[in-house]
Amino acid sequence: MQALYAQLLVGLINGSFYALLSLGLAVIFGMLNIINFAHGALYMMGAFVAYFLLNLGGINYWWALLIAPVIVGIFGMILERTMLQWLAGLDHLYGLLLTFGLALIIQGVFQNYFGSSGLPYSIPDVLKGGMNLGFMYLPIYRAWVVIFSLIVCIGTWYLIERTRLGAYLRAATENPTLVRAFGINVPRMITLTYGLGVGLAALAGVLSAPINQVRPLMGENVIIVVFAVVVIGGMGSIMGSIITGFALGVIEGLTKYFYPEASNTVVFVLMVLVLLVKPTGLTGRAA
Amino acid sequence: MAEAKLAEAPATEAGIEVLSVKDLQAWYGESHILHGINFSVKAGEVVTLLGRNGAGKTTTLKSVMGIIGKRTGSIRFDNQEIIRTTSDRIARMGIAFCPEERGIFSSLDVRENLLLPPVVRAGGLSLDQIFTLFPNLKERLSSQGTKLSGGEQQMLAIARILRTGARFLMLDEPTEGLAPVIIQQIGHTIARLKSEGFTILLVEQNFRFASTVADRYYIVEHGKVIDGFANSELSANMDKLHTYLGV
């Protein structure tokens, strides 16, 4: 039983990262119509920025949670202004290829300087240790990651679905031309949205640094699963990507307990099944 | 009936030319749609563009709004050239657009749809004034925008641009597909707005409706303005009009 709970927790942790990453992808896809293949590389950059802040500037984890998403978000906005914006209105394939190329370049640069092995990033002191819950041992940092991710996801959902700013975003996702003709600077909104999406990826990177170490290829491994999550949840649906992210993490964890051989493929099996039955994803709207 | 005044912003002095379009040409991708449109609108007027389907009326409105990719010629609004201005800045100068397809957002509820266009200058209608004009909207505030009936969606599409303080309204076929009683209500609204000094550029297929509100007409055919006359000259021009519109 101990092992089952432990796997469930691992599943929830992975689910937190899936949710944060697929949420960002969904926001970006809705507004820019771009499938952001650079998402994994930007997640990795988030972890590296936290690492640099700590080791070069002595800036701790808590500040990194704030600063790394901002720095990576600004980097993302520069990418959007200089490159992605020119792809507006073209086929998805162009955005996919460009961001895929960007991911390879970014990862290549980091790999060139840092190799493929992991750099250590320690858990902040207050989150060290764990609690014995009786039925299992709960590391405090892991509990923190799950709870904090949930808060960020729900906060993002609230921002998009319940605020004035979110209404602009939803409207511009539906009909950017008309929203612009109402006097709203839609190109600037698109840039900020891309910044928000990659900022979420960088935040996930910082959260993951103490658990998974800081590695140039850390994004490459996770992003493939995240794309499956997005396909299952439905491209462009905010709540769908959050719920699917957590749910698939848990399903993966359970599979690891009951049938470990399938744990790496279960997400993709589910993806195939969903695509066969409902090609727009569980919560997706027809494009 | 004494009605409270809707708008507080001073209108541009009546009779002054607010919009002047000269040799406007426009393209959708490769296809050349407008081949030299010329017309003008004076402050306080209701001007209607008439013409058959595909003549270029909607494209003319969209060109003024700045949402047609390629356009040449001259569009002057309030004495400023706007042929190269982006649509968000044109909106901020005080032009508001109500598109033919109404453009109600399905992911927004009625209240969010109503509050979406930012206020571009002081003096727009308050929500209370809007609900006086369109009482139906008040009861449907939390409905999904596209769950409204066609008539209610049209009212919402007009209502939301009245909030912004823009004094120059472009309405693209506001009566299309609506029941006569709703058309009448929209006609009253336009007449009311005109009496308050709003300037309105209207595109209509429904000539009988247009004749109840318009001061002047321009006939658009094959991407050009081929004729124009005042409402007072209407009866003298009826024969011509039937030929132009093929009705």
Side-chain angles (χ1 to χ4, degrees), chain A residues 161-164 166-168 170-172 174-187 285, chain B residues 65 67 86-88 91-92 97 99 102-108 112 115-118 120 160-161 163:
Chain A
E161 298 291 344
R162 291 286 180 271
T163 66
R164 186 79 188 268
Y168 286 151
R170 276 174 283 140
E174 262 186 70
N175 188 343
T177 309
L178 185 58
V179 171
R180 192 165 188 196
F182 284 150
I184 295 163
N185 189 334
V186 172
R285 295 175 284 244
Chain B
M65 200 65 241
I67 52 185
T86 56
S87 59
D88 51 324
R92 300 245 168 219
F97 177 47
R102 290 164 197 149
I104 302 302
F105 297 97
S106 66
S107 55
L108 274 60
E112 287 174 323
L115 298 179
L116 185 79
V120 295
R160 69 179 170 192
I161 61 174
R163 255 191 70 253

Side-chain angles (χ1 to χ4, degrees), chain A residues 82-130:
Chain A
T82 53
M83 291 179 240
L84 293 176
Q85 68 151 324
W86 306 108
L87 303 180
L90 296 179
D91 192 90
H92 290 317
L93 194 59
Y94 291 91
L96 192 150
L97 286 173
L98 178 71
T99 52
F100 186 57
L102 285 172
L104 292 178
I105 293 170
I106 295 169
Q107 278 168 0
V109 168
F110 277 84
Q111 225 181 339
N112 184 47
Y113 290 103
F114 300 97
S116 296
S117 56
L119 302 165
Y121 189 97
S122 62
I123 295 174
D125 287 340
V126 279
L127 298 177
K128 276 184 178 150

Side-chain angles (χ1 to χ4, degrees), chain B residues 48-69:
Chain B
T48 301
L49 304 181
L50 295 169
R52 295 178 211 217
N53 269 330
K57 308 181 297 293
T58 294
T59 308
T60 304
L61 293 196
K62 287 185 173 174
S63 299
V64 173
M65 200 65 241
I67 52 185
I68 294 288

